[in-house]
Amino acid sequence: MDVRLDVKTHRVTGTQKLTYYNNSKDTLNKVYYHLYFNAFQPGSMMDVRSRNIMDPDARIKDRISKLKDDEIGYQHIESLKQDGKDIGYKIDGTILEVTLSKPIPPNSKTVFDMKFESQVPIQIRRSGRNNKEGIAYSMTQWYPKIAEYDFKGWHAYQYVAREFHSVWGDFEVKITIDPTFIVGGTGKLQNGDKIGYGYEKPGATVKRADGELTWHFVAKNVIDFAWAADPDYVHDKALVPNGPELHFFYQKSEKTTQNWKKMEDLAVKHFEFMNSTFGKYPYDSYSIIQGGDGGMEYPMCTLILGEGSFPSLVGVMAHEASHSWYQAVLASNESLYPWQDEGFTDFASQESIALLFNTPVTESHSGSYASYFNLIKRGLQEPISQHSDHYTTNTAYGTGAYAMGTILLHQLKYIIGEEIFYKGMRQYYNTWKFKHPEPNDFIRVMEKVSGLQLKWYLNYWVNTTKRIDYGIKNIINTEGATFITLERVGEFPMPVDLMITLTDGTRELLYIPTNETLGNKPVEDKTTQRKDLEAWPWVYPTYTLKVNNTVAEIASIEIDPSLRMADVERKNNRIELGQELKAFEDSTR
Ligand SMILES: [Zn+2]
């Protein structure tokens, strides 16, 4: 793309040459492009949805309906050619439908040449001009973008609110803009010595041309290209050992200067943690740019608000940078499976943040469990198998994608064991990077690495709203032994870790697998004795086991002592014996 942004009119004029490869088995008679800026017009689907949903995004509300002509966003197509010949198209909201004069057969390519003109909207959501911290341009979802076609067909979704799915490509982008503006974005700047602003080679003399500057970026094998521009950016750099090089762009102010400097060190540590725990970041640079309206992930960069407190700045940095693994490199379909991106990203960043701030990693996901339980309490839970735009409430989407996606992994750790789990996460990344994995691709890797069947788990968690609730139903004291009956109160079957603590302090973990897994998880904690019991077939509502101690010798019995199961009723999970036994027996009758 070759584009010019006029900083007086806020309009972009440009050309786009797209060499499109049809790697599918189908002949394509049409292609679709996204025209995201068209969402920022009164009466757009984004506008109408936001004015009708019961819990609108505070950033949008009815703001789109009030935009004036010079504040809206638009994307006008001035011409479109396929292999040099004009072709027909029509625009419906944020989707451009192109009818090809020459169908594209499988394993062939075609070239589209487009001329377009856009107006950058006042910032409402993600993209736009003049964000609330005074960043001039947040240029995301900013160009006519080809839609993804795969074995499920076209993913040409209207831009209603959220989540994206994109085609892999090599980008070469030339951006011409007023010379006082500093640009940060996806990819690597090719002409740093002609631009300066910290992009020049160390010691190089910068020779800028007169007038506007043209910034030449190249990014290979990425799913999108985003950038931001502001005259007040400072540009810091830091190197992660073994890469990548980190770039930071922010406006100096009382609220940013100290926090950003301190955050830069933690960003380096965050990349080191992610590289070693979840797989190696494949690009050689990453830019953390003040801009946007919160935090939003893009390949090789993120736009984040920059004036928050230090913990929130680190939190948003870690979350967005972790997206590099799940949104940018694995790039599963975020529209259809937002939990596979947002949830996995949240899971990884929560563990990293715990390490960065020296708090227990085992407790790092407790907030996700709390929001899941709260969603249920409010009666708002929906299956997380839905397209991200089609949830009834934003709350159900947010908790479903982020919290339930996080719990999906933390609970999987419980099912297959911690060590295997991390090995599986790396194997998933290394097997599926740059390939758009589907949910089944993820669970198959986890099945192979653990040797356990896990489809039942994915199916219950993603496709249903069934809940986990196990409880201690009954304890019978006989001579020399105790019989404990457990109950599956919820419909969702799970393997059960049951901790028996004796009055002398001895602990024994009883492990009751579910026969759905066709096997047992390995011992996780070698310091505690574990006894493996017969599997609990999921159709049985109860399960009785025998402990060779008298009730008097048992101090407590607890289901899921590691608190990794999203058990919706924990009151029935633990019993202290001794004086409480009588009360417990009474309450179960
Ligand atoms: Zn996210």
Side-chain angles (χ1 to χ4, degrees), residues 144-168:
K145 184 176 172 191
I146 191 82
E148 166 80 357
Y149 182 86
D150 65 15
F151 74 105
K152 286 192 158 172
W154 283 104
H155 298 275
Y157 307 115
Q158 292 284 349
Y159 189 23
V160 176
R162 58 174 74 93
E163 303 304 328
F164 306 94
H165 188 41
S166 321
V167 184
W168 295 107

Side-chain angles (χ1 to χ4, degrees), residues 163 295-297 319-320 323 327 334 341-343 345-346 397 402:
E163 303 304 328
M296 184 62 197
E297 68 278 10
H319 177 90
E320 304 312 334
H323 266 302
Q327 182 257 3
E334 306 163 52
D341 170 35
E342 293 298 351
T345 295
D346 239 6
Y397 159 75
Y402 291 72

